[in-house]
Amino acid sequence: MRYTAPPTKSRYVITFLTPVRYAEPLLHVVLKQARPFIFYRWARFYLDMAADTSSKRTSIQAQLATAETLCRERGKRLTPIRRQVLQILLEQGRSVKAYDLLDEIRRIHPGAAPPTVYRALDFLIEEGLIHRLDAVNAWSACLDAGGEPHDLLVICTGCGAVAEFSDPALSKQLARKVAAAGFVLGHHETELRALCNACHAQAHGETRSAHEHRH
């Protein structure tokens, strides 16, 4: 029985009905035709990734330079260990737990002890270069240490992402509400636990999947 290829709108569509002896040569033709396009896409991907990495590195170096300047103007020293802790937090770009931070430090300084890291963290907090996030028991770098003080921090409890805001009017309104209830705010930064859009979508999708599975 003679084989007749199924009709299609494309010259290079391979279906499951196509016998191997016909599909293999056709696949070689498709790959040959597509090779320049595939190479371009991969090249573009790696160039974009390299550009993003270079841009992030430049931004981190600028933030470290700002921290150096602020410390010098205040008569303080950004010692190597303090700078390293700050750099790790900047590179992470999210909240980091103490043990994770210590692990990262020990990759560079194998003999680093917890008290040394905690002292560095305390210094960076005092200078406004990082945030202590009580809501998730972690730390994050302040991404705008040279700008206005931040009084509102939103922390994703899923991935640890942190958003910084400055809204004095909202903070004053919150302080009045707290005072009316018979309390006094103990910190100038208010923390809100939330889910970023990506984590919310993932959690919503998993919940929905589990619900559909039960039914």
Side-chain angles (χ1 to χ4, degrees):
M1 180 177 179
R2 186 177 180 182
Y3 170 76
T4 303
T8 176
K9 294 181 180 180
S10 172
R11 294 171 56 196
Y12 301 129
V13 172
I14 302 174
T15 71
F16 290 108
L17 299 176
T18 307
V20 174
R21 66 177 181 277
Y22 292 102
E24 188 173 353
L26 187 55
L27 184 59
H28 282 299
V29 173
V30 172
L31 291 176
K32 186 176 180 180
Q33 294 280 339
R35 192 174 297 148
F37 175 72
I38 294 173
F39 174 77
Y40 170 79
R41 291 294 298 273
W42 276 105
R44 185 72 266 167
F45 170 78
Y46 282 115
L47 286 172
D48 289 344
M49 186 169 62
D52 290 343
T53 302
S54 177
S55 176
K56 182 179 179 180
R57 189 180 299 114
T58 301
S59 175
I60 289 173
Q61 291 304 315
Q63 288 168 313
L64 289 171
T66 297
E68 291 269 13
T69 301
L70 291 173
C71 289
R72 187 168 55 251
E73 290 174 349
R74 298 164 184 169
K76 306 290 182 65
R77 288 186 62 236
L78 190 65
T79 61
I81 189 67
R82 293 168 178 172
R83 180 186 175 91
Q84 193 63 60
V85 169
L86 177 57
Q87 182 171 341
I88 289 172
L89 291 174
L90 286 168
E91 289 172 346
Q92 292 295 319
R94 59 179 178 81
S95 58
V96 181
K97 303 282 188 181
Y99 51 83
D100 292 330
L101 183 58
L102 185 58
D103 286 344
E104 290 294 326
I105 286 289
R106 282 176 172 167
R107 293 177 190 274
I108 305 163
H109 303 286
T116 302
V117 175
Y118 279 112
R119 283 195 295 269
L121 289 168
D122 288 341
F123 171 85
L124 296 171
I125 290 170
E126 288 174 6
E127 298 306 315
L129 300 175
I130 67 173
H131 302 293
R132 172 73 171 91
L133 307 172
D134 294 320
V136 291
N137 191 27
W139 291 263
S140 70
C142 178
L143 301 180
D144 186 25
E148 293 294 324
H150 304 112
D151 47 22
L152 181 62
L153 303 173
V154 183
I155 306 131
C156 177
T157 54
C159 66
V162 179
E164 304 169 332
F165 298 99
S166 179
D167 193 335
L170 180 60
S171 293
K172 288 178 181 178
Q173 184 179 3
L174 179 61
R176 286 196 296 268
K177 292 285 186 182
V178 171
F183 294 85
V184 177
L185 285 177
H187 202 277
H188 73 280
E189 291 177 341
T190 301
E191 300 175 19
L192 296 177
R193 288 182 292 180
L195 285 176
C196 67
N197 289 335
C199 289
H200 179 267
Q202 182 179 1
H204 181 70
E206 290 174 353
T207 303
R208 187 168 156 187
S209 176
H211 178 75
E212 291 174 351
H213 181 70
R214 285 196 299 269
H215 293 278

